[in-house]
Amino acid sequence: DDRPSPRDFFAPADERSTRKNIVAGLKWLVENAACGDALFFHFSGHGSEQRDLSGTETDGFNETIIPSDFDKSGLIVDNELFDILVRDLPEGCKLNVVLDCCHSGTALDLPFNYVRPRGWQCEEVPFHTRGDVQMWAGCADDEQSEETHFRSRGVLTTAFLHEMYRNPRPLYKELLDALHANVTRRGFTQKPQLSSTQRFDLDNRVFSTVDGFVPNHNLIYGVPPGARLTLGRRGRGRKLPQRRPAPRRPDLE
């Protein structure tokens, strides 16, 4: 049985945060998920990028999270996070994700990204699913997510806790604006991101980890016929630019 055992939660941090344990925990979270379930996943740690060899990323890079044993077991890429958490989530099941790490903007490969002030923007080659999933990311794909000087918490985690304590039932628009203001006020330049499996009106939906399901409005499951990828500046053609590699040790980022 690969599911986490109670003793895992009392092991040293480096033992708990191995690739095997993180993947097992993700699978445990969505196992037997059904309509009416509300799930929550929070990751505050290290993130990086990995060259995309499949040709499915506009910028030429997969976003990743870094387990403690990444040097032996490898990174956990966005495709894998999507496959475990999102792909088979049933309609009527709600999942909220908070990723407080570097390069996390589209680290769940959700089809819709909210771009201030324009609104929802759809990925060029979206993979539409049935569940109701939203992800709050600490920064854009090309940004780094910092830590606060107070208790060495991630900036997004600190801002999220502060704003939810101040206003426990904000509209999505209120929360997104408040997170940006909080991060800027603390002197950081990273820009929190919001992505989703479904479009919705941020001015008319209250953020909650348990209430307020959005029904499936996607007409198809999977990639729409005829969708094609146009490589952007960071991934034009086959010769991809050099990027900062993943750190040799997680504590170096």
Side-chain angles (χ1 to χ4, degrees):
D1 186 355
D2 288 332
R3 294 176 60 179
S5 66
R7 68 175 179 274
D8 291 330
F9 298 99
F10 297 96
D14 283 352
E15 294 182 18
R16 293 200 308 267
S17 58
T18 63
R19 190 184 203 285
K20 178 181 177 181
N21 283 345
I22 292 174
V23 169
L26 296 175
K27 291 180 177 179
W28 169 84
L29 178 64
V30 298
E31 184 178 21
N32 300 320
C35 180
D37 289 344
L39 313 175
F40 185 86
F41 171 58
H42 172 244
F43 176 85
S44 184
H46 294 279
S48 188
E49 292 179 303
Q50 187 177 73
R51 193 179 296 269
D52 172 45
L53 301 178
S54 67
T56 59
E57 296 283 347
T58 303
D59 62 1
F61 291 88
N62 289 307
E63 289 67 50
T64 73
I65 61 176
I66 304 178
S68 60
D69 61 343
F70 76 98
D71 53 339
K72 297 180 181 179
S73 302
L75 307 175
I76 303 175
V77 302
D78 49 9
N79 300 25
E80 188 171 6
L81 292 174
F82 176 88
D83 286 343
I84 296 173
L85 291 172
V86 182
R87 180 188 289 267
D88 296 321
L89 211 64
E91 182 172 2
C93 183
K94 178 186 180 75
L95 169 64
N96 277 292
V97 176
V98 177
L99 285 189
D100 190 359
C101 57
C102 296
H103 311 293
S104 53
T106 62
L108 207 52
D109 276 350
L110 301 182
F112 300 107
N113 303 299
Y114 193 85
V115 180
R116 303 166 79 230
R118 291 179 291 167
W120 291 112
Q121 305 292 310
C122 186
E123 290 285 328
E124 286 187 319
V125 186
F127 193 109
H128 294 298
T129 55
R130 303 181 181 93
D132 180 21
V133 183
Q134 282 80 51
M135 183 186 76
W136 302 89
C139 61
D141 285 346
D142 59 351
E143 294 180 327
Q144 293 187 348
S145 198
E146 305 290 344
E147 289 185 350
T148 65
H149 300 297
F150 176 69
R151 296 183 179 176
S152 296
R153 282 180 179 162
V155 168
L156 177 65
T157 300
T158 300
F160 210 93
L161 291 172
H162 178 88
E163 296 306 329
M164 289 302 296
Y165 179 80
R166 187 181 63 84
N167 181 8
R169 290 184 62 82
L171 296 171
Y172 270 81
K173 183 64 163 55
E174 292 175 334
L175 180 55
L176 183 60
D177 289 345
L179 291 175
H180 275 261
N182 188 298
V183 169
T184 301
R185 187 168 62 249
R186 294 174 186 272
F188 299 98
T189 59
Q190 66 194 69
K191 300 175 181 62
Q193 306 291 308
L194 174 64
S195 57
S196 178
T197 54
Q198 311 283 338
R199 287 189 179 101
F200 59 91
D201 185 355
L202 272 66
D203 287 311
N204 286 300
R205 185 182 183 188
V206 174
F207 171 76
S208 171
T209 57
V210 294
D211 299 322
F213 292 76
V214 170
N216 176 33
H217 296 299
N218 297 321
L219 299 179
I220 66 166
Y221 173 83
V223 178
R228 299 182 61 183
L229 184 69
T230 302
L231 294 179
R233 288 184 303 170
R234 293 172 60 209
R236 189 181 302 279
R238 292 183 180 273
K239 295 183 179 179
L240 300 178
Q242 294 294 318
R243 296 285 295 173
R244 181 175 59 85
R248 296 307 304 162
R249 298 202 321 268
D251 62 339
L252 291 182
E253 184 165 331

